[in-house]
Each structure stands twice: as C-alpha cells, then as structure tokens.
Amino acid sequence: MNIKNQKEYFNNTYERWKEISNEKDNIINKTVNALGISKGDSVLDVASGVGILYTALKYKQLSNYIALDISEKMLEGLKTLYPEAKTICTDFDKEVELGEEFDYIIIFNSIPHFKNLDIVFSNAKKHLKSGGIFAIVHARTREGLKEHHKKIGFNLGREAIPSDDILDKLVKKYDFKESIIEDEDFFYFSCIR
Ligand SMILES: C[S@@+](CC[C@H](N)C(=O)[O-])C[C@H]1O[C@@H](n2cnc3c(N)ncnc32)[C@H](O)[C@@H]1O
C-alpha cells in the first residue's frame, strides 16, 4: 500500500483516527511535559488529524492553539470534538504563510506523510518565535514503525522517520539550536529557534 493523495486518503479514513490508546495517551502526556508547554504558550499542531494532541493540550490554558491539517474532514472531526479550537486547512509540505508565530510547532505521529522535509523545516522556522521549539514525535520508534509498516504492507519508498543525519543537516541549514533526538520508547526530536 502507498498513499498517493494525502488529502483524499485522510478525508476518506478520518473516522479511524479518533481512537486513542492508553499508550498513545501516555506518550502525548510525556511529550507535552518534556516540551514544558504551559499556561500562556501558543502551539501550532501540524497534521493535527482529529486533535489527538489536543487531548492533553486543552488543559494547558494556552494563549493560542491552531490545528493545521491538509484534510478538511479531519478538521471537521476535530471541530465536533473541540469547537473552541482554531483550524487551518493547508498543505505543510508546501511553503505556507500563516501570518503568526508560535512558541511550539509540533508534528505528532505524522512525519512519515511529509515528503519535503526541507520545506517542513523552513515552514517551522518561519512560524516560530525566537526561542520557540520545533518538535517531531512519533508514538513508535524508527524500528517499531518500520516493522509496523512491513506488517501492514505500507511502502513509502523512503525512511518513515528521518535519520539523525538528515535531521542534523536540516537543523544546521535552518540555524536551529540544541537539537535532541531520542529513539528508545518512542521517537522524539526537538530543536530551538
Ligand atoms: C496518521 S494521521 C495523524 C494525525 C494526528 N496527529 C494523530 O496523532 O492522530 C496523519 C495526518 O497528517 C495529515 N497530513 C498528511 N499530509 C499532510 C500535509 N502535507 N500537510 C498537512 N497535513 C498533512 C493527514 O491529513 C492526517 O490528519
């Protein structure tokens, strides 16, 4: 299996993505705590789906939360669960101009769907405040995701989670600092603008 059109695929399968296991819930809470997200912060949730990350963020009294996704059906699903959340339907794999900056930009459980990592990093840099944090997190490790994709017959034709080398190059190219890469219980990458 391969996804040819992300928008179409997720518009057709959005019902499936509402489920949140205890394990995923745990990882989301660990992520939000590790990132130090707290009252008054602003967050751009890239490839938000129906708002899985927001299940933890909604308690944080954020100054701004925007869920961005390419699939309008995912965002409609998010809006039925969280009417207060702001949403933007756009393609983050292309240069975007949102007209605002955030303390955090997070891509949770979605990095395999982005082909143009260079543009993803450029978009993140452009929309982060100075000192803001860009994070890519996946509930599976690189190896775990590889096995999972093999099991379900999903073939991307590239690394689902970018290698350390690719991430290091992008961190340098876009002048981010203090990057962290962890791939033990789940995959965690963060860097600071
Ligand atoms: C596997 S789902 C994960 C959604 C959510 N983060 C979660 O944890 O449930 C991947 C999401 O990426 C979105 N997506 C895929 N390509 C995208 C793109 N180019 N720009 C923005 N969103 C995209 C899909 O519409 C989908 O909602």
Side-chain angles (χ1 to χ4, degrees), residues 3 5-7 9-11 13-14 17-19 24 28 45-53 68-72 74-75 88-94 106-115 120 137-138:
I3 302 177
N5 183 323
Q6 300 285 337
K7 191 180 178 76
Y9 176 79
F10 285 105
N11 272 343
T13 62
Y14 71 100
W17 300 96
K18 286 184 188 159
E19 202 182 302
K24 213 190 259 184
I28 288 170
D45 180 3
V46 173
S48 63
V50 294
I52 292 295
L53 197 59
L68 180 153
D69 203 283
I70 198 170
S71 155
E72 62 273 15
M74 283 288 206
L75 293 176
I88 296 179
C89 190
T90 195
D91 184 351
F92 208 74
D93 228 1
K94 298 194 173 129
I106 308 171
I107 301 183
F108 179 75
N109 259 10
S110 301
I111 197 63
H113 302 284
F114 291 94
K115 284 191 214 124
V120 168
V137 180
H138 206 94

Side-chain angles (χ1 to χ4, degrees), residues 23-91:
E23 196 193 345
K24 213 190 259 184
D25 190 43
N26 234 331
I27 291 171
I28 288 170
N29 282 304
K30 274 189 194 162
T31 299
V32 168
N33 289 336
L35 288 168
I37 300 176
S38 51
K39 189 175 172 181
D41 287 335
S42 52
V43 177
L44 178 66
D45 180 3
V46 173
S48 63
V50 294
I52 292 295
L53 197 59
Y54 194 63
T55 53
L57 292 177
K58 68 183 174 185
Y59 301 111
K60 293 288 175 188
Q61 296 178 264
L62 301 175
S63 59
N64 191 14
Y65 167 82
I66 297 188
L68 180 153
D69 203 283
I70 198 170
S71 155
E72 62 273 15
K73 286 282 181 201
M74 283 288 206
L75 293 176
E76 278 169 25
L78 183 144
K79 273 291 205 186
T80 58
L81 296 168
Y82 311 112
E84 75 281 10
K86 285 191 244 162
T87 59
I88 296 179
C89 190
T90 195
D91 184 351

